[in-house]
Amino acid sequence: MSFSSLLNRHCTVETAVKTQNQVTGETIMQWAPLYQNVKCRIRTRTAEERKNSSSEYKVSTHAMYLEYLKLEDALTRIICDGKTYRVTGQLNMGGGHEYLCLYLEVKE
């Protein structure tokens, strides 16, 4: 069984983009698609996993697995199955930038 065969869902990865209001000069943060139709697998993290995680991952409610993408945690969000998730951390799995585990928090 290959890693790719376990990726049973598709998601959109969005990045924060700063724009400037032409009238007021105010900086506005908007979301723009960075990657679309990305194959992934998502699961809920257990209470025990959250309790024993490092502090940066304690708030994450879900873990998502996908092929490696270069992402900045603070400027990234994921949309999967109609839900929006904030990326709280990431782990390069298997070395060599092949696979990625994203730690996610549900954003209503």
Side-chain angles (χ1 to χ4, degrees), residues 10 14 18 28 37 48 75-76 92:
H10 290 84
E14 294 186 333
K18 292 180 183 178
I28 302 167
N37 207 30
E48 189 65 26
L75 300 176
T76 305
N92 180 4

Side-chain angles (χ1 to χ4, degrees), residues 29-103:
M29 191 74 85
Q30 296 180 321
W31 293 99
L34 184 60
Y35 302 102
Q36 293 182 318
N37 207 30
V38 176
K39 291 178 72 176
C40 63
R41 182 175 193 94
I42 190 166
R43 70 173 181 84
T44 304
R45 295 185 70 221
T46 65
E48 189 65 26
E49 284 178 301
R50 294 171 66 186
K51 177 181 169 188
N52 293 319
S53 291
S54 67
S55 60
E56 101 181 281
Y57 304 136
K58 281 188 187 283
V59 298
S60 63
T61 56
H62 293 75
M64 176 178 277
Y65 305 95
L66 57 151
E67 292 185 6
Y68 185 83
L69 301 171
K70 185 175 173 129
L71 304 173
E72 289 187 50
D73 297 347
L75 300 176
T76 305
R77 75 178 186 179
I78 306 289
I79 300 173
C80 185
D81 295 336
K83 290 186 180 177
T84 302
Y85 302 89
R86 182 176 70 89
V87 176
T88 60
Q90 58 181 292
L91 176 64
N92 180 4
M93 297 173 51
H97 302 300
E98 289 184 54
Y99 311 113
L100 190 62
C101 175
L102 296 178
Y103 295 99

